[in-house]
């Protein structure tokens, strides 16, 4: 999991070895930032809330050494590019994480939206993928799909998205006025977000605004937007649903599936039988979701303001594809 600015991991998650040993369906995920304080205090064990037992930190870390964890704390968690030339005390094994070819740097946008950036063999990224390290919010669609294979092998889209949509419906989101527009209670939202990041779907969301808020955040915080930045300029020039379809067809397969799932769901939200309750029509929902579906490469406020209506019009074209 990387920051958009530097490409450096900012938090990593490791599945509980005891949960895996006990065949618990959805193992608890420990974040490295939660393990670091235990190591600093020289504790040898840590409590797993799911397995309800303590496990040794060395067993949990597996082939990740304490030196690597402390290196993570010193250089990575604060999103600084490490100066390996001056890092004489850093073990060679840790230096190997950042080889000359793999030194963290700003990720370049691919000109081909179908190009998939895969980690090189033997690099930290590939090792973490094998260890099922994952983050839902701010994560990557392909990594989420890879992580959920053991527990949700039949899902063709990220299960967290299915979970949120199902809870949106069961909590009455389709009949809640101002849904997606009225903000959720921040403490409830953050608590549920944390559980989802740990792939914990054991509890139901009883507040539709929380489910709605987390749905928006899922798309807004994706490491790479559902529609790649490389296509942004083309998207804001779209005038018809047919033109929009051509662009959608150029997306990676997983992006197409997720976008189609989202738009089919939003089509239900704006259906006449629900709109009378939610007061949210196509233009309202398009306004809310445009910033989550399209991500402008510009930070110029004038450009952002100028393009905002074009982004909304593009999302309205997506609705037309799902009539």
């Amino acid at each position: 999991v990387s920051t958009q600015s530097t490409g450096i991991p900012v938090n990593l998650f490791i599945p509980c070895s005891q949960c895996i040993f006990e065949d618990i369906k959805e193992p608890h995920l420990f974040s490295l930032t939660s393990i670091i304080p235990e190591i600093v205090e020289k504790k040898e064990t840590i409590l797993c809330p799911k397995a309800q037992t303590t496990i040794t930190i060395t067993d949990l870390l597996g082939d990740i050494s304490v030196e690597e964890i402390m290196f993570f704390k010193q250089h990575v968690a604060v999103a600084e590019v490490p100066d390996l030339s001056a890092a004489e005390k850093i073990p060679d094994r840790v230096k190997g994480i950042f080889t000359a070819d793999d030194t963290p740097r700003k990720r370049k946008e691919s000109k081909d939206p179908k190009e998939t950036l895969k980690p090189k063999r033997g690099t930290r990224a590939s090792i973490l993928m094998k260890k099922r390290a994952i983050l839902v919010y701010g994560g990557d669609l392909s990594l989420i799909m890879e992580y959920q294979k053991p527990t949700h092998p039949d899902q063709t889209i990220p299960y967290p998205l299915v979970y949120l949509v199902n809870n949106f419906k069961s909590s009455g989101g389709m009949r809640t006025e101002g849904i997606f527009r009225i903000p959720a209670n921040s403490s409830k939202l953050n608590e549920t977000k944390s559980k989802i990041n740990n792939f914990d779907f054991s509890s139901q969301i009883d507040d539709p605004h929380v489910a709605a808020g987390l749905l928006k955040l899922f798309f807004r915080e994706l490491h790479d937007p559902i529609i790649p930045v490389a296509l942004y300029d083309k998207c804001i020039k779209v005038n018809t649903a047919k033109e929009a379809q051509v662009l959608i067809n150029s997306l990676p397969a997983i992006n197409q599936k997720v976008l189609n799932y989202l738009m089919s769901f939003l089509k239900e939200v704006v259906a006449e039988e629900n709109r009378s309750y939610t007061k949210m029509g196509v233009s309202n929902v398009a306004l809310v979701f445009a910033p989550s579906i399209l991500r402008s490469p510009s930070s110029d406020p004038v450009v952002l303001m100028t393009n905002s209506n074009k982004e909304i019009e593009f999302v309205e074209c997506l609705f037309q594809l799902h009539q």
Side-chain angles (χ1 to χ4, degrees):
V1 179
S2 304
T3 65
Q4 293 179 29
S5 59
T6 63
I8 302 176
V10 292
N11 201 3
L12 303 173
F13 290 78
I14 302 175
C16 172
S17 54
Q18 186 64 29
C19 287
I20 294 174
F21 177 76
E22 295 181 9
D23 290 328
I24 293 177
K25 187 177 180 181
E26 294 175 352
H28 177 71
L29 295 181
F30 288 96
S31 68
L32 286 190
T33 50
S34 69
I35 298 173
I36 286 173
E38 307 296 314
I39 294 177
V40 171
E41 294 179 13
K42 298 183 179 181
K43 294 183 179 179
E44 296 183 353
T45 61
I46 192 169
L47 176 66
C48 172
K50 275 201 172 180
Q52 290 296 307
T53 186
T54 56
I55 58 174
T56 63
I57 292 177
T58 52
D59 285 345
L60 176 65
L61 296 178
D63 65 349
I64 300 179
S65 68
V66 171
E67 288 84 0
E68 287 176 80
I69 296 295
M70 299 315 292
F71 177 75
F72 176 93
K73 175 180 180 293
Q74 181 179 357
H75 295 286
V76 181
V78 294
E80 294 177 353
V81 177
D83 180 7
L84 298 182
S85 62
E88 298 179 357
K89 296 183 180 180
I90 299 175
D92 290 338
R93 185 169 180 274
V94 179
K95 289 182 182 180
I97 300 173
F98 301 96
T99 62
D101 292 334
D102 296 318
T103 301
R105 52 191 175 274
K106 186 174 181 179
R107 185 174 184 176
K108 295 181 179 179
E109 291 295 339
S110 170
K111 293 182 179 179
D112 180 2
K114 281 195 171 182
E115 180 180 339
T116 301
L117 298 176
K118 296 181 179 179
K120 294 180 181 180
R121 276 181 131 189
T123 63
R124 170 55 62 194
S126 65
I127 293 171
L128 289 172
M129 183 179 284
K130 289 179 181 178
K131 293 179 75 64
R132 297 287 190 255
I134 194 64
L135 189 66
V136 174
Y137 286 90
D140 180 272
L141 290 176
S142 60
L143 286 179
I144 297 173
M145 293 300 296
E146 180 72 17
Y147 179 84
Q148 69 183 30
K149 278 183 180 179
T151 53
H152 302 90
D154 298 326
Q155 284 290 344
T156 58
I157 62 172
Y159 181 72
L161 183 55
V162 177
Y163 168 80
L164 289 171
V165 167
N166 289 342
N167 277 268
F168 176 92
K169 294 178 178 179
S170 64
S171 63
M174 292 293 187
R175 299 297 172 93
T176 300
E177 184 172 344
I179 197 67
F180 289 119
R181 184 168 47 82
I182 297 175
N185 177 282
S186 59
S187 61
K188 286 185 178 180
L189 185 142
N190 289 328
E191 180 183 353
T192 308
K193 180 182 178 182
S194 178
K195 289 182 179 180
I196 293 174
N197 262 341
N198 282 313
F199 250 67
D200 179 0
F201 307 109
S202 59
S203 58
Q204 295 296 307
I205 303 174
D206 56 10
D207 185 340
H209 294 296
V210 170
L214 290 172
L215 267 168
K216 290 188 295 183
L217 278 180
F218 176 84
F219 288 96
R220 188 169 295 180
E221 295 187 2
L222 280 174
H223 181 268
D224 296 310
I226 191 69
I227 294 182
V229 174
L231 289 176
Y232 179 84
D233 289 336
K234 292 183 179 180
C235 288
I236 62 174
K237 294 176 183 177
V238 163
N239 294 311
T240 66
K242 185 176 181 180
E243 292 175 354
Q245 185 65 70
V246 173
L247 288 176
I248 300 306
N249 290 342
S250 70
L251 298 180
I254 182 59
N255 294 51
Q256 290 189 45
K257 291 177 182 177
V258 171
L259 185 58
N260 285 332
Y261 181 83
L262 171 65
M263 295 311 301
S264 295
F265 161 68
L266 294 180
K267 192 68 179 179
E268 289 184 61
V269 174
V270 302
E272 187 175 352
E273 63 269 21
N274 295 321
R275 189 168 64 246
S276 59
Y277 292 93
T278 64
K279 312 300 182 187
M280 295 291 286
V282 170
S283 59
N284 303 106
V285 175
L287 172 66
V288 170
F289 272 88
S292 299
I293 294 175
L294 289 173
R295 190 178 298 169
S296 175
S298 175
S299 58
D300 186 335
V302 176
V303 174
L304 294 174
M305 182 65 70
T306 302
N307 291 345
S308 61
N309 286 336
K310 298 176 182 178
E311 294 173 1
I312 295 169
E313 290 170 2
F314 174 76
V315 177
E316 288 176 343
C317 285
L318 296 183
F319 272 102
Q320 293 176 33
L321 294 176
H322 289 266
Q323 286 181 345

